Amino acid sequence: MNPRRDFLLCRGPPMAPYGNIPVMPAVMPGAHRCDGPLPSPGLSELSAFEPNIHHTPGETHLSYHGPPLAPPYGSIPATPAHPRHGNPLYRGPPVAPCSSIPVMPASTHRDDGHSSTKLSALAAEFHPASTQIDPPHRNPSMGPRGHIPTGPRNYLGQHSWQPQSRSNYHRSRHGGTHHESDAPHGYPPALAWEPPRFHHRHPYIDHIANMPYQSPLQSNGNGGMPPTSAFDPFITTPNTMTPGGVGPVSANPYSHDPAAAMGGAFFANPAGFQQPVQYHLYAPIGPHNQNTMGYQRNVHDLFLPNDLREELQKKAAATLQTLPNTQLPAQVDYFHSLVPLDLSHQKNASTFGYPSWIYKAQSSKDGCFYALRRLEGFRLTNEKAIRSVQAWKRVCNGSVVTVHDAFTSRSFQDSSLIFVTDYHPLSKTLAEQHLNTGNRYPARPNAPISEQLLWGYMTQIANGLKAIHANGLAARVLEPSKILVTAKSRIRINACAILDVVQFDTQKTVADLQRQDLVNFGQLILILGTGQPAVQHNLNKALEVFGRSYSPQLKNSVMWLLGSLQKEQERNIDTFITGISSQLMSTFDSALHMDDQLNSDLCRELENGRLVRLLSKLGFVNERPEYELDQRWSETGERYFLKLFRDYVFHQVDAAGEPVVDLGHVLTCLNKLDAGTDEKIHLISRDEQSSFIVTYKELKKGFESSFQALLKPARRMH
Ligand SMILES: Nc1ncnc2c1ncn2[C@@H]1O[C@H](COP(=O)(O)OP(=O)(O)OP(=O)(O)O)[C@@H](O)[C@H]1O
């Protein structure tokens, strides 16, 4: 496997230990060229949000043509941007760092020779809210928060950076103890905060101390440092949070029973599954029909396809639609909020013997929406007639609109018979779809139905008829206006049960009615294939026209159905289904493809619900005005970091001071928070006076404990 691709799919660059360097310009004067794999490839293609980022598929670096980027794109830089960084002799203005340097406080140096590093990373008493760096030498060249100045570079000699021990670099100004007067916001220190793993450092210096490797620093020809080790982006040390460290996955991470999960054959290597689960590794699940490289993603990959979302939203809106000031009855038995679904006021009684109207209504029993079909002026003479609907309740089939109930009503100021069926929002009838009837969809030429679609319709209707006949019933009404198209190519037999009630006293046997179903079925296909609603008047002519457009197999199938009334040969739906079995397979295969596609779409949304929960938790904690009478709760302890993290995620600005609206950045950060990765990020207080380097793991810990604090039972206050 191409290691680069492997990395990219895993979305973690090999630049451990700083982990992911999200999109950041690599080709900049003086900048180290990032020849490694694309950082955060999963989201780096969200270029719609990042106008300055140009990503050429297949290349492993980013070309950058814009101004230096502010930190939104950068976590902790992986390369020393310039020799000045870390040079304690440097007294010039804050230098426009290479673009990979994150936002930093305006001043971190003092002329008195004090180290600018303020806090020992290991200081036991460290309280993040009370840490402070020196009062800033505010330099006019310093832009707004998050703005990296881009002015002329001023190099004061070349200072070779010498790796030093961490302890040297992290001297505490106050011997590692906390002084409350240093608190930037005057906040009291948090009580239950475990600080040791948060580091407050000089951002110019300390990030260098942690460089995983050193590369020659280029700076206007002033020389550079020899590399201490060659960097190969495709070689990585195993790290639990880097892709190189992912290794073989061995057990089902979601199983509550690790023993059982380990024993399963699902994961190849039982060496142990990594914790925490790396939620931020989105695995693209097929089918893949995009013409993109393996590591490329765009924002649409993380959400439902637009057309599907639009369709579902429209259906939801249609379902919830109400009709104020209507003259319809407010209540019909246990239904209310009626909305008519017919758009035509002209109703003929040809199908049922009574004019029929159809409404969407909400049930007071269960709150669900149903379709009510009303037969106007119907008088029930035989109680048994309406009980025949009971048998229809047993018909549960994907190709039949389910019948739920039937009752008579006087709510419409007449005697009406009401049938309650499933409601399928925004459905059309086959007649509306293909025969241009109804005025909801204005006239347009009838497009001929493809043979494949016609076979699809036939198999679905056959499926519905099989279920109906198997229950000892007959559909009785099989015509284009009584077949619902509920989704693309998806149809259902509608208006079942009605003739059973209305023509209860009919003398015909069920067997006769079922045979008639087959004939009606044949006529229906003929109507759809020829586009002529009145084929029964001249079947031979219609068959001839039909035969010109469709295969002999399809025509023969229709003829077989039309001949179902012939007594000499027993014909039933099962025989028919056996006859068209080859077509059933192809329809079945289409259904499987559809199923795969929907599964894949579902996977895109899979993690979004989790992110909403994450955001909700953050919202509960961030800026909380008061907790247990402590008005500074959300500004102290780990909550303070969460606040800065919120700023880091949402409130960054670019070099021009413009808000960075980058969904990719947001998703990346939130996922890493949820996964609790070891990657470090640089948080800056709003007044730019405090700067912290924290790992997502630490953030997650603080995040969880803050949220759990909110959940604990309220203390009794006396
Ligand atoms: N169960 C249902 N769910 C959602 N919409 C439905 C349902 N049943 C019917 N409709 C819609 O109601 C409208 C009217 O349906 P109907 O069965 O009355 O057809 P029609 O074309 O008006 O036929 P007719 O003239 O015989 O009444 C159609 O647009 C159809 O899509």
Side-chain angles (χ1 to χ4, degrees):
M1 181 186 290
N2 178 351
R4 178 179 309 181
R5 185 183 160 89
D6 192 26
F7 281 134
L8 293 169
L9 279 173
C10 292
R11 296 189 56 244
M15 300 175 185
Y18 289 101
N20 277 0
I21 315 291
V23 183
M24 90 175 57
V27 184
M28 288 279 297
H32 179 76
R33 180 189 150 105
C34 172
D35 277 329
L38 258 184
S40 298
L43 294 165
S44 60
E45 278 297 298
L46 304 173
S47 49
F49 294 87
E50 300 172 343
N52 286 328
I53 306 299
H54 301 284
H55 174 217
T56 311
E59 289 192 11
T60 55
H61 68 273
L62 297 166
S63 62
Y64 179 70
H65 307 295
L69 286 183
Y73 306 106
S75 295
I76 304 302
T79 54
H82 195 276
R84 286 164 299 167
H85 305 313
N87 182 347
L89 295 178
Y90 177 64
R91 285 176 176 75
V95 179
C98 293
S99 56
S100 55
I101 302 295
V103 179
M104 60 195 65
S107 167
T108 52
H109 293 263
R110 287 173 65 105
D111 287 346
D112 59 9
H114 280 220
S115 164
S116 59
T117 306
K118 301 301 175 255
L119 202 70
S120 164
L122 301 174
E125 295 283 318
F126 170 52
H127 296 283
S130 63
T131 59
Q132 186 179 17
I133 57 174
D134 290 348
H137 291 208
R138 193 153 187 88
N139 190 306
S141 67
M142 201 68 188
R145 182 174 62 82
H147 180 169
I148 305 298
T150 56
R153 299 179 176 210
N154 179 9
Y155 305 120
L156 299 178
Q158 184 63 40
H159 180 82
S160 292
W161 176 77
Q162 296 296 326
Q164 299 185 33
S165 71
R166 264 175 96 91
S167 55
N168 283 344
Y169 261 87
H170 296 269
R171 287 196 310 272
S172 166
R173 181 184 168 197
H174 303 294
T177 52
H178 160 69
H179 289 254
E180 214 166 270
S181 58
D182 281 353
H185 310 287
Y187 300 135
L191 290 176
W193 175 236
E194 297 172 15
R197 305 201 56 196
F198 287 87
H199 314 298
H200 183 189
R201 305 179 191 149
H202 186 309
Y204 278 110
I205 295 177
D206 289 344
H207 76 274
I208 300 177
N210 289 288
M211 289 306 155
Y213 60 90
Q214 292 300 318
S215 58
L217 299 175
Q218 301 154 9
S219 58
N220 293 355
N222 282 341
M225 286 191 311
T228 53
S229 65
F231 168 61
D232 183 345
F234 300 113
I235 295 177
T236 181
T237 50
N239 176 315
T240 51
M241 299 314 293
T242 59
V246 168
V249 178
S250 60
N252 184 349
Y254 303 102
S255 171
H256 294 295
D257 179 4
M262 300 288 271
F266 210 71
F267 293 89
N269 183 350
F273 184 77
Q274 279 192 345
Q275 288 293 344
V277 178
Q278 300 191 51
Y279 287 121
H280 63 305
L281 303 182
Y282 284 78
I285 295 181
H288 308 287
N289 48 14
Q290 284 180 336
N291 199 15
T292 49
M293 306 292 286
Y295 56 82
Q296 288 181 314
R297 300 285 182 84
N298 58 52
V299 74
H300 304 295
D301 292 338
L302 305 177
F303 298 98
L304 279 184
N306 278 341
D307 49 352
L308 180 57
R309 192 178 65 238
E310 193 180 336
E311 185 190 325
L312 294 177
Q313 281 170 340
K314 280 183 182 167
K315 285 186 173 177
T319 304
L320 295 174
Q321 185 195 4
T322 54
L323 204 62
N325 306 323
T326 171
Q327 293 183 345
L328 292 170
Q331 192 87 18
V332 177
D333 211 289
Y334 56 97
F335 292 94
H336 60 88
S337 308
L338 270 64
V339 175
L341 297 177
D342 303 274
L343 293 184
S344 163
H345 288 285
Q346 289 163 356
K347 283 281 162 184
N348 63 55
S350 60
T351 310
F352 306 114
Y354 299 86
S356 86
W357 306 91
I358 190 143
Y359 310 94
K360 167 184 82 83
Q362 191 169 11
S363 161
S364 320
K365 282 185 185 169
D366 60 10
C368 296
F369 292 86
Y370 294 90
L372 305 185
R373 184 181 291 272
R374 167 188 167 218
L375 263 56
E376 188 182 335
F378 176 83
R379 283 185 185 281
L380 188 69
T381 51
N382 188 344
E383 275 292 321
K384 283 187 191 164
I386 208 154
R387 270 188 238 133
S388 64
V389 173
Q390 294 298 329
W392 281 96
K393 293 187 188 177
R394 293 196 299 269
V395 179
C396 178
N397 183 274
S399 300
V400 179
V401 176
T402 306
V403 179
H404 292 279
D405 203 359
F407 53 87
T408 53
S409 171
R410 296 199 163 267
S411 305
F412 293 91
Q413 313 301 329
D414 70 345
S415 173
S416 293
L417 175 62
I418 311 284
F419 287 88
V420 183
T421 66
D422 269 351
Y423 166 65
H424 294 278
L426 297 185
S427 53
K428 306 179 205 172
T429 65
L430 272 182
E432 288 168 341
Q433 175 91 340
H434 295 294
L435 304 176
N436 240 340
T437 61
N439 54 8
R440 183 183 301 198
Y441 305 96
R444 59 187 165 202
N446 287 342
I449 303 178
S450 70
E451 174 146 348
Q452 195 192 7
L453 182 59
L454 215 46
W455 275 118
Y457 287 164
M458 280 181 87
T459 51
Q460 290 177 72
I461 293 170
N463 174 43
L465 278 185
K466 182 174 166 57
I468 292 169
H469 291 185
N471 277 285
L473 300 164
R476 303 184 70 163
V477 184
L478 269 182
E479 52 188 63
S481 73
K482 297 296 169 278
I483 308 279
L484 275 192
V485 185
T486 56
K488 189 167 179 271
S489 316
R490 186 79 170 76
I491 58 171
R492 294 164 205 259
I493 301 171
N494 196 17
C496 295
I498 296 175
L499 285 187
D500 285 357
V501 179
V502 173
Q503 298 178 4
F504 182 72
D505 298 323
T506 179
Q507 299 299 311
K508 288 190 179 170
T509 64
V510 173
D512 283 346
L513 292 174
Q514 290 181 347
R515 272 196 291 273
Q516 184 62 46
D517 273 354
L518 297 184
V519 176
N520 294 347
F521 184 9
Q523 286 184 3
L524 172 72
I525 300 301
L526 211 49
I527 291 171
L528 293 174
T530 57
Q532 299 300 323
V535 290
Q536 67 273 29
H537 298 140
N538 192 344
L539 278 179
N540 289 335
K541 174 84 178 143
L543 274 171
E544 188 192 324
V545 173
F546 188 86
R548 279 190 223 132
S549 307
Y550 299 101
S551 68
Q553 193 198 358
L554 184 52
K555 184 181 169 190
N556 290 339
S557 302
V558 172
M559 286 170 64
W560 188 94
L561 288 170
L562 291 174
S564 298
L565 290 182
Q566 293 164 8
K567 294 279 179 200
E568 72 272 14
Q569 203 182 353
E570 182 60 29
R571 298 188 179 185
N572 58 37
I573 190 67
D574 291 325
T575 323
F576 178 73
I577 288 173
T578 310
I580 62 165
S581 56
S582 60
Q583 295 304 326
L584 293 184
M585 280 300 112
S586 109
T587 309
F588 179 59
D589 187 50
S590 304
L592 291 181
H593 277 299
M594 185 63 159
D595 183 55
D596 289 345
Q597 183 61 53
L598 286 176
N599 248 322
S600 169
D601 294 342
L602 189 64
C603 283
R604 295 185 185 186
E605 289 285 320
L606 175 71
E607 306 297 352
N608 295 339
R610 179 176 53 75
L611 290 179
V612 168
R613 289 195 291 277
L614 194 72
L615 278 174
S616 306
K617 281 183 173 182
L618 263 182
F620 283 126
V621 174
N622 281 153
E623 309 272 355
R624 193 169 194 86
E626 184 268 348
Y627 173 71
E628 288 188 341
L629 302 182
D630 180 2
Q631 295 186 347
R632 292 189 179 138
W633 181 77
S634 63
E635 296 281 343
T636 52
E638 58 249 86
R639 279 83 56 190
Y640 185 57
F641 282 86
L642 293 176
K643 173 183 168 176
L644 299 189
F645 176 71
R646 192 264 318 267
D647 284 351
Y648 176 83
V649 176
F650 295 106
H651 297 160
Q652 297 205 22
V653 291
D654 65 13
E658 298 295 329
V660 173
V661 183
D662 177 3
L663 185 57
H665 172 68
V666 172
L667 294 177
T668 306
C669 293
L670 291 178
N671 279 319
K672 286 176 182 172
L673 173 69
D674 209 9
T677 68
D678 283 331
E679 181 181 336
K680 297 176 181 175
I681 54 169
H682 192 172
L683 302 178
I684 310 289
S685 66
R686 289 185 172 185
D687 58 8
E688 299 180 351
Q689 305 218 359
S690 304
S691 127
F692 308 97
I693 293 176
V694 294
T695 63
Y696 279 102
K697 197 186 226 168
E698 292 158 338
L699 275 176
K700 180 180 178 175
K701 198 174 156 208
F703 174 58
E704 283 302 328
S705 65
S706 304
F707 181 68
Q708 290 305 327
L710 293 179
L711 294 185
K712 74 179 184 209
R715 275 194 218 146
R716 288 189 62 189
M717 301 288 174
H718 295 286

